[in-house]
Amino acid sequence: MMISALIRHAPSVVIGVIMHVLGPKNLFWVIALVGWTVGGSYLVMWLTGTTLQRAQGWNWFLQPSDLAVNEDYSSGSYGPPLPFGVLVSLARGDVYWEAAKATIPTVLALAFLYVIRCSLHSAALKKNIRNVTRKRSETPSPPLSSKKRAAPKEPPTPPKPFLTLGYILEHGYGYSQLIAAIAGGIAVAPSVAASLTLFKLGAESKAPQFGSCVLVLLFYLTNFQFVQYIPKPAFSCLMVLAGLDMIKTWVVGSFLKTQAKMEWMVAPLLVVLAFTVGMLTAIFLGVAISTFIFVATFYRVGTVKFVGSGLTLRSTVERGFLESR
Amino acid sequence: MVFCLTQAATVTRPHSTHSSTGLLARTAALGILTAGPVFVFELGDQIPAIYPASDLFLAPFLAKVAATIDEVLHQHGLADDDRLFFAAFTAVTGFGLLLSGLMCVVAARVKLANLGALLPYSVLCGFFTAIGILMWTLGFSVDTGHKVGDVVLVVVST
């Protein structure tokens, strides 16, 4: 079982690692590697004489039955995942409340932690505007006609003053989540760092962004049937990439950045706690442990010390006459 | 599209006799179709190339929600009822998003938009590392159809 599992997962790990190395240089590589994974899979199948049906049978691809909709379900009345189907199913009383109640601890953890995630993500998004604007201004322009060359060069548009962190969090993340919740979908997050290549293609204008939504609509309307022709590693490598990125940034990066290694030790401890007592409890325990460590460190600094008698807390710092008055 | 499929593939129903990947992918796509334009419309003028995609950060939580619902339905002999599963799954997910969306709005209004920065750095590191590891394990599940924990248990027992 283990050998079989490792063999199945190995391609995703290899592709994920390559993406992790090349991705920061240019996002184009991530997209290209997904494409090469698909192409490479078909090449291997062609070389080994493996049919698509056999590869699907070996679970290297999603099977048509994975994507098929149960006939009882498809022939029934309006409901999820159709737009606002969740409201219809709620009104019709289709929700099995006992099952819903059992998920409350997980859902509360999701809501609380997702706000933190959105707060950090919106800060990263805001920070990235400057980088993107600079990158765009550095992009070499294509050769222009003499008429166009005469036109004055427009400076990169700076972000408008009202684009604060609060504005991004409320108008971007907040409203989009409310819409997704009512419509019955899953929340989305914007791309923080689109590459220079995408800008060269004119990806920053609104049309291609709405166009990508139209493409998703096509897949939505066709029940994602096209996906059975895409090998599983093309999906799972993205999960490996996301995992690697996070581990590198938040374990290795933070270890190098943190001077007090005792404080850093809370991070791996919190990981262990997250897998044993749950994520939300682990966060609260982590905050408590960090606070204790901070207080201990603060007292060791030596600049200010206090003597507590139970009734009073006095500083031991010797002060001058005027200060002590 | 790839992110929708990845999101869907990570959500499994161990007690159901058929897969729900297609329906779950459509659920994720519905998020892009409805919430995505909000991002572009609200921030597209000032932030270039937003390209909203299904947020894989939610995948571990959604996988756990689905497994819990599936378990309760299985206990009542209803594990194969897609209608009940999806009604509960989308209602619960919607409730979670409604709650977090409202908290985002409130946080922004009361000048707590930098809420994440108020947490100790080491706690943030541990939190995101745990999510990263969970994401990797979900990738493993997509490829193999097994959970990492189950494979480790088999190895330990042999």
Side-chain angles (χ1 to χ4, degrees):
Chain A
M1 181 186 180
M2 189 194 169
I3 301 291
S4 157
L6 287 177
I7 289 171
R8 283 188 180 283
H9 190 49
S12 307
V13 174
V14 172
I15 300 159
V17 169
I18 298 172
M19 281 177 172
H20 177 71
V21 173
L22 297 178
K25 291 175 186 166
N26 197 322
L27 194 68
F28 170 78
W29 284 110
V30 175
I31 300 160
L33 279 163
V34 171
W36 287 343
T37 307
V38 178
S41 300
Y42 278 97
L43 182 66
V44 170
M45 283 164 61
W46 179 68
L47 290 173
T48 56
T50 309
T51 61
L52 180 63
Q53 285 73 23
R54 189 177 285 179
Q56 285 173 335
W58 289 337
N59 277 325
W60 285 103
F61 286 74
L62 284 168
Q63 296 186 36
S65 59
D66 291 333
L67 300 161
V69 179
N70 192 356
E71 276 189 24
D72 294 341
Y73 190 84
S74 59
S75 60
S77 49
Y78 200 89
L82 295 170
F84 306 100
V86 62
L87 299 180
V88 177
S89 65
L90 274 167
R92 210 168 39 214
D94 280 350
V95 178
Y96 200 74
W97 289 108
E98 194 178 331
K101 268 191 267 178
T103 64
I104 284 176
T106 311
V107 171
L108 290 178
L110 178 154
F112 177 72
L113 298 174
Y114 200 50
V115 175
I116 297 172
R117 143 80 169 179
C118 291
S119 165
L120 293 169
H121 204 265
S122 54
L125 194 63
K126 186 169 183 281
K127 197 175 170 186
N128 197 49
I129 298 170
R130 212 176 300 123
N131 298 337
V132 165
T133 313
R134 192 175 63 237
K135 271 185 182 179
R136 229 180 352 170
S137 63
E138 286 168 1
T139 311
S141 308
L144 300 170
S145 66
S146 56
K147 194 179 174 184
K148 279 183 180 174
R149 203 174 290 149
K153 194 182 174 184
E154 287 184 16
T157 314
K160 289 178 184 173
F162 67 85
L163 194 68
T164 59
L165 196 59
Y167 185 89
I168 297 174
L169 189 66
E170 181 181 345
H171 289 254
Y173 295 84
Y175 293 166
S176 69
Q177 281 169 45
L178 295 178
I179 296 285
I182 295 166
I186 295 172
V188 294
S191 158
V192 169
S195 74
L196 195 60
T197 311
L198 288 175
F199 286 117
K200 281 181 187 171
L201 294 169
E204 76 271 31
S205 59
K206 277 190 179 178
Q209 297 187 59
F210 282 120
S212 69
C213 290
V214 173
L215 275 178
V216 174
L217 177 66
L218 286 176
F219 277 95
Y220 176 80
L221 293 174
T222 54
N223 284 334
F224 280 81
Q225 288 299 315
F226 176 70
V227 169
Q228 60 187 287
Y229 306 108
I230 300 173
K232 280 184 177 180
F235 309 121
S236 47
C237 65
L238 290 172
M239 303 298 280
V240 175
L241 172 68
L244 272 175
D245 280 347
M246 282 188 161
I247 292 167
K248 188 191 169 190
T249 307
W250 297 100
V251 178
V252 182
S254 67
F255 181 79
L256 298 174
K257 208 186 277 183
T258 313
Q259 284 187 335
K261 302 302 179 199
M262 188 66 167
E263 279 179 34
W264 177 84
M265 283 301 291
V266 174
L269 180 67
L270 198 142
V271 173
V272 175
L273 287 170
F275 286 99
T276 49
V277 297
M279 187 69 83
L280 203 55
T281 316
I283 296 269
F284 290 129
L285 285 172
V287 171
I289 296 166
S290 292
T291 309
F292 277 120
I293 292 172
F294 170 74
V295 171
T297 313
F298 175 77
Y299 268 84
R300 270 201 302 272
V301 168
T303 311
V304 181
K305 286 188 176 173
F306 296 95
V307 176
S309 66
L311 293 173
T312 58
L313 187 68
R314 292 171 64 89
S315 159
T316 59
V317 175
E318 291 183 14
R319 300 178 195 278
F321 176 71
L322 286 174
E323 277 182 324
S324 62
R325 284 184 69 192
Chain B
M1 188 271 289
V2 173
F3 278 67
C4 289
L5 252 297
T6 309
Q7 188 85 269
T10 57
V11 176
T12 53
R13 293 168 65 187
H15 299 297
S16 177
T17 52
H18 55 269
S19 169
S20 307
T21 307
L23 284 170
L24 285 159
R26 291 184 76 197
T27 308
L30 187 61
I32 297 177
L33 293 171
T34 53
V38 175
F39 264 107
V40 182
F41 182 76
E42 290 282 345
L43 307 174
D45 282 337
Q46 293 135 78
I47 304 176
I50 292 179
Y51 289 93
S54 196
D55 195 351
L56 292 181
F57 176 91
L58 293 169
F61 297 97
L62 298 182
K64 197 172 177 188
V65 163
T68 308
I69 293 171
D70 187 57
E71 181 62 38
V72 175
L73 291 178
H74 172 66
Q75 285 167 7
H76 294 83
L78 300 164
D80 273 330
D81 195 327
D82 282 350
R83 188 164 303 283
L84 287 181
F85 175 82
F86 274 96
F89 181 76
T90 49
V92 161
T93 309
F95 173 68
L97 292 180
L98 208 61
L99 210 59
S100 67
L102 284 173
M103 282 198 277
C104 282
V105 172
V106 171
R109 296 269 171 102
V110 298
K111 311 285 181 198
L112 270 177
N114 61 344
L115 179 72
L118 300 176
L119 282 176
Y121 181 60
S122 50
V123 173
L124 285 178
C125 294
F127 165 53
F128 281 107
T129 307
I131 295 291
I133 293 170
L134 276 170
M135 281 184 171
W136 191 325
T137 59
L138 289 175
F140 181 87
S141 300
V142 170
D143 281 338
T144 64
H146 301 293
K147 288 180 178 174
V148 173
D150 295 343
V151 175
V152 172
L153 276 178
V154 169
V155 171
V156 170
S157 62
T158 52

